[in-house]
Amino acid sequence: MQVQKHDGSVVVERCVLAVRPFARMKGLLGRRALEPGEGILLRPAGSIHMFFMRFAIDAIFCDNDLVVVDVARDLRPWRMAARRGAKQVIELAAGAAAGVRAGDRLSLATIAE
């Protein structure tokens, strides 16, 4: 999937959707890094943890309609983050959420292989 802002600009090129409990629990654990343009959407999720992680990320907290509630930037390993009203979280490589702000409306789009 691809995540875009309402204006059509791309937030993340390749986003994996994690909706099952095990997929959400595993998240990015065991990975050494996220490549540029790569991310994961955790649904449902209002909080995340960075326990046992090896790298920093940006986390975009969204409501049910993919409206950005807040962005946690450069979230380091062994930290936690949560936002009131968040129902979904998009995890990206640190710095990848630079153009995303609270109030932005995001959308998911399938990409042709």
Side-chain angles (χ1 to χ4, degrees):
M1 310 236 49
Q2 187 178 69
V3 178
Q4 301 174 345
K5 288 174 61 174
H6 189 63
D7 64 7
S9 60
V10 176
V11 175
V12 59
E13 289 285 335
R14 296 173 316 280
C15 190
V16 175
L17 187 60
V19 295
R20 296 181 190 262
F22 181 75
R24 287 193 318 269
M25 182 178 65
K26 183 176 185 306
L28 298 173
L29 289 175
R31 304 220 20 202
R32 293 194 182 275
L34 268 173
E35 297 297 322
E38 192 176 34
I40 184 170
L41 170 62
L42 306 167
R43 180 191 294 168
S47 64
I48 60 171
H49 70 81
M50 297 289 292
F51 303 139
F52 305 103
M53 292 288 292
R54 300 176 180 176
F55 55 95
I57 63 169
D58 285 352
I60 304 172
F61 292 88
C62 301
D63 67 9
N64 280 327
D65 297 321
L66 278 176
V67 175
V68 177
V69 173
D70 196 14
V71 180
R73 299 178 196 284
D74 200 31
L75 191 58
R76 303 257 177 224
W78 297 99
R79 304 286 190 269
M80 295 172 45
R83 297 298 186 268
R84 184 181 305 265
K87 305 296 182 196
Q88 311 177 62
V89 181
I90 302 170
E91 298 180 346
L92 309 169
V100 180
R101 305 277 178 256
D104 285 347
R105 179 174 297 277
L106 306 179
S107 63
L108 299 176
T110 55
I111 51 177
E113 297 281 332

